[in-house]
Amino acid sequence: MEPLISVIVPVYNVEEYVEACIQSIIAQTYRNIEIIIVDDGSNDKSGFICDRLSEKDARIAVYHFENNGVASARNAGVELSNGEYIAFVDSDDIVAPDYLKFLYDILIENDADISCCKLEQIRTHEFNARKATEDGIMLCTGMEACRIMLSGTPGRDLQLSSACLKLYKRSILSKYKFPLGRKFEDTRTICRFLYESDKVVISDAVLYGYYQNTGGIISDSIKANSPSQNDRIWANVERAEYFERNNDKKLAKLAWKKTINLMYAISIFNNGRYDEDIRRLVKNKAKKRTIDGFSFVRYSIYSLNPRAYRQLRAIIKCDIY
């Protein structure tokens, strides 16, 4: 019999989307699953919809808690689950029917700790799932996966730093908890799971439909003057500091470069309004030259003349993720 896979779905006020999400998981071709729904204090009909679906499928278990954030919901889901393998699906997204089967197969075939696919942003409850191309499956070490995540290749950071899009061995996922009370907990945490994995298999198969809820964290983070913008920077700072603590200078330098690029982009978009602690931290990193030379030059130009930096950014594309 195939081993049990636990699919953890944090739910909060998504009554328009949650049924389509759960139905897409119910329809998986990999049948030996349990669906752990953690209702994080929804005050709309989300909890009722989940309870109704659980009455029709014994594989669904619904737990209702007071609102404490997505990190708490994910942590609770892991603790309540029984599977040898674990996947996360956000409650306003949908997955292709062979999502779990594909991730399980490539994980087992490559003796990996984590397997990963790609997403496509959607506007309806349907999306164009696509299988892996002939050369679209890559096996690498956890350290190499982190380098790919930070490399600046379009979409790679989102693909690899998201808690979703992946199948994890429980032994890897149980090493850390998602930090409570923090936004962008994926950025802060997933790098640790990747880095401490012996093998990670990355695929270009598009099997996850991502619906960008206009009330969600990501949308909020790119609005002008949003408090989430500072959280986003701090999440990147913590990722860079994690690599520093592991004495991995190459990955730390790449992570700091992405952090500083993000700070510049948010500062320009948000009229320079971000935590003074962030400004001091980045200034210290620039002075110590713990960032690469190009980022140091950009920092110097930005510090002396923000308008000149805007002109530089218009000429040289800035990767803000």
Side-chain angles (χ1 to χ4, degrees), residues 145-156:
C146 290
R147 179 184 55 77
I148 294 168
M149 176 178 65
L150 299 168
S151 65
T153 303
R156 283 300 194 190

Side-chain angles (χ1 to χ4, degrees), residues 77-91:
V78 173
E79 292 178 3
L80 292 164
S81 67
N82 301 291
E84 185 179 344
Y85 302 93
I86 297 175
F88 296 103
V89 176
D90 285 346
S91 53

Side-chain angles (χ1 to χ4, degrees), residues 6-290:
S6 300
V7 185
I8 297 168
V9 186
V11 170
Y12 180 70
N13 289 353
V14 284
E15 61 182 13
E16 296 180 45
Y17 316 102
V18 67
E19 183 160 1
C21 171
I22 302 304
Q23 291 290 3
S24 75
I25 302 172
I26 291 172
Q28 290 298 293
T29 57
Y30 190 102
R31 302 303 296 169
N32 191 24
I33 64 174
E34 62 174 6
I35 305 171
I36 307 294
I37 300 176
V38 182
D39 175 22
D40 188 37
S42 297
N43 50 38
D44 64 358
K45 296 180 182 178
S46 298
F48 170 79
I49 293 169
C50 294
D51 287 336
R52 174 170 54 78
L53 291 170
S54 70
E55 294 173 359
K56 299 179 180 180
D57 194 319
R59 298 175 300 171
I60 301 175
V62 183
Y63 300 89
H64 300 278
F65 295 98
E66 293 183 2
N67 179 248
N68 200 28
V70 65
S72 176
R74 284 180 176 153
N75 291 337
V78 173
E79 292 178 3
L80 292 164
S81 67
N82 301 291
E84 185 179 344
Y85 302 93
I86 297 175
F88 296 103
V89 176
D90 285 346
S91 53
D92 51 0
D93 298 336
I94 58 175
V95 291
D98 59 343
Y99 173 68
L100 293 176
K101 175 67 172 160
F102 176 81
L103 289 178
Y104 174 77
D105 285 346
I106 63 172
L107 185 143
I108 296 302
E109 289 169 6
N110 293 280
D111 190 27
D113 299 301
I114 299 174
S115 58
C116 179
C117 70
K118 296 182 73 175
L119 61 76
E120 179 177 272
Q121 188 167 335
I122 58 174
R123 297 185 182 278
T124 68
H125 294 323
E126 297 180 359
F127 76 107
N128 181 28
R130 298 184 290 282
K131 296 182 179 180
T133 61
E134 186 175 344
D135 300 319
I137 296 178
M138 173 174 50
L139 180 64
C140 58
T141 67
M143 293 181 187
E144 289 169 342
C146 290
R147 179 184 55 77
I148 294 168
M149 176 178 65
L150 299 168
S151 65
T153 303
R156 283 300 194 190
D157 192 0
L158 178 60
Q159 179 188 18
L160 288 169
S161 63
S162 171
C164 303
L165 317 178
K166 298 175 180 65
L167 184 65
Y168 307 83
K169 283 185 178 178
R170 175 178 286 276
S171 57
I172 287 293
L173 201 60
S174 61
K175 289 188 175 185
Y176 297 101
K177 291 184 180 294
F178 292 96
L180 299 183
R182 306 286 189 89
K183 295 180 180 179
F184 297 95
E185 73 289 338
D186 297 19
T187 302
R188 302 168 192 268
T189 311
I190 302 304
C191 61
R192 306 181 184 202
F193 299 140
L194 292 172
Y195 192 77
E196 298 184 26
S197 296
D198 292 328
K199 296 180 184 178
V200 176
V201 58
I202 304 170
S203 169
D204 67 357
V206 180
L207 300 173
Y208 191 101
Y210 163 64
Y211 186 90
Q212 186 162 321
N213 185 345
T214 55
I217 292 172
I218 299 297
S219 295
D220 182 55
S221 73
I222 59 175
K223 294 177 183 176
N225 304 318
S226 166
S228 293
Q229 291 178 340
N230 284 319
D231 249 359
R232 189 177 182 186
I233 296 173
W234 279 119
N236 278 264
V237 166
E238 290 186 21
R239 180 165 67 179
E241 290 177 336
Y242 169 76
F243 294 127
E244 282 188 333
R245 288 194 299 272
N246 282 278
N247 297 313
D248 197 317
K249 294 181 180 179
K250 291 182 179 179
L251 287 179
K253 182 173 286 190
L254 284 172
W256 279 118
K257 179 179 179 180
K258 291 187 76 68
T259 303
I260 291 168
N261 287 348
L262 174 65
M263 187 200 76
Y264 294 150
I266 285 179
S267 177
I268 290 170
F269 187 70
N270 200 32
N271 300 319
R273 299 176 185 175
Y274 47 77
D275 288 347
E276 184 60 32
D277 286 342
I278 294 174
R279 188 188 301 274
R280 286 194 294 267
L281 175 66
V282 174
K283 183 177 181 180
N284 182 55
K285 290 295 173 184
K287 282 183 175 180
K288 291 183 177 180
R289 298 298 294 272
T290 54

